[in-house]
Amino acid sequence: MIKAAIFDMDGLLIDSERIIMQGCIQAAATIGITYTQAEYVELVGRVWSDSTRLMTQQLGSEANFQHVMQGLNAFLETRDHAFPLKDGVQALLQYYQSHGIICSVASSSPIPHITHRLTHTGVLDYFSHVTSGQEVKRGKPHPDIYLLALEKLGLPAEECIAFEDSELGAQAAIAAGLRVVVVPDLRQPSEQVRANAHQVVESLQHWLEHHDSLVGCDLSRTQ
């Protein structure tokens, strides 16, 4: 029986990944580096330390990385470091709240980023718990962040469902024993993730409209 839903944030609840990627591409271009979507996608879902290490390798040096980060921060400051909600988020959170389903967040982002972004979009109060990648030793695709989220909820994995947009995030949720609904953002999931996911849907709105009967019901795989 579903008692709680655990959500990733960037690319799943808020439409941030495309905007951040645009800022990285623009900042890299100012120093003559062509940074691509394929390179950026490799960062998605990772904790900050892992993303920093990988992006430094992609850009060729620590100096290049620092330049791009400065450019990205300047780009995001023009937006007050805020992003819009993805399609269906508000409706799904309201629906779960009205049905007594506990909602929580498990995001690789630092806690200040999580609280700022969710507060700006007006949805922070829907979540009883927030778990950050800063709180665990190993980031996604390791299951640590989801295991900690389950510990905070005080519930077993079989009574919860996870929502993810990224390959690494979906792998982490699956490894934690959760049924995961994948809502692709910048990249479609691999065949391995598709085979082990509960469902792959085009948006959270689509999930709400087509699967709301699962509230209070057995979530055994329906693929």
Side-chain angles (χ1 to χ4, degrees), residues 1 9 60 63 66 112 120 131 141 152 161 166 183 195 198 200 205 215 218:
M1 307 288 284
M9 182 182 70
Q66 291 299 334
H120 182 270
T131 304
K152 290 182 180 181
I161 189 167
S166 72
V183 188
H198 180 69
V200 178
Q205 184 65 41
V215 169
D218 184 357

Side-chain angles (χ1 to χ4, degrees), residues 3-205:
K3 294 183 179 179
I6 307 174
F7 296 84
D8 176 49
M9 182 182 70
D10 292 296
L12 187 280
L13 292 175
I14 61 173
D15 196 4
S16 55
E17 297 291 7
R18 284 179 177 79
I19 296 170
I20 294 172
M21 179 178 68
Q22 180 186 354
C24 290
I25 290 171
Q26 290 182 4
T30 64
I31 53 173
I33 296 175
T34 301
Y35 193 66
T36 67
Q37 176 170 327
E39 288 175 309
Y40 180 81
V41 166
E42 294 303 315
L43 309 178
V44 175
R46 298 182 188 272
V47 293
W48 175 248
S49 58
D50 291 344
S51 294
T52 297
R53 184 166 51 252
L54 178 55
M55 194 175 189
T56 299
Q57 293 173 355
Q58 292 172 336
L59 294 169
S61 72
E62 174 68 19
N64 289 344
F65 171 77
Q66 291 299 334
H67 180 91
V68 170
M69 286 300 97
Q70 291 171 6
L72 173 62
N73 285 330
F75 176 79
L76 294 179
E77 282 175 5
T78 65
R79 310 179 59 91
D80 192 28
H81 291 263
F83 310 93
L85 286 175
K86 297 276 281 189
D87 185 34
V89 170
Q90 189 94 38
L92 182 59
L93 293 175
Q94 290 174 345
Y95 180 78
Y96 277 165
Q97 184 181 68
S98 68
H99 285 78
I101 305 300
I102 303 167
C103 292
S104 72
V105 172
S107 168
S108 295
S109 293
I111 286 288
H113 290 184
I114 297 171
T115 55
H116 175 77
R117 293 172 187 179
L118 295 181
T119 298
H120 182 270
T121 54
V123 298
L124 181 63
D125 289 345
Y126 284 102
F127 301 104
S128 63
H129 303 87
V130 171
T131 304
S132 165
Q134 292 181 317
E135 299 178 75
V136 294
K137 291 184 177 180
R138 302 182 302 173
K140 301 173 183 180
H142 298 288
D144 303 32
I145 190 170
Y146 278 107
L147 295 175
L148 180 57
L150 289 169
E151 183 180 329
K152 290 182 180 181
L153 288 166
L155 294 170
E158 57 266 25
E159 294 182 355
C160 304
I161 189 167
F163 293 87
E164 272 283 357
D165 67 288
S166 72
E167 181 79 9
L168 297 183
Q171 289 174 356
I174 292 166
L178 286 154
R179 296 177 178 87
V180 57
V181 175
V182 181
V183 188
D185 184 36
L186 294 178
R187 183 170 70 180
Q188 291 295 315
S190 66
E191 289 305 314
Q192 180 182 13
V193 164
R194 285 184 178 275
N196 289 282
H198 180 69
Q199 293 283 342
V200 178
V201 297
E202 62 187 41
S203 69
L204 289 177
Q205 184 65 41

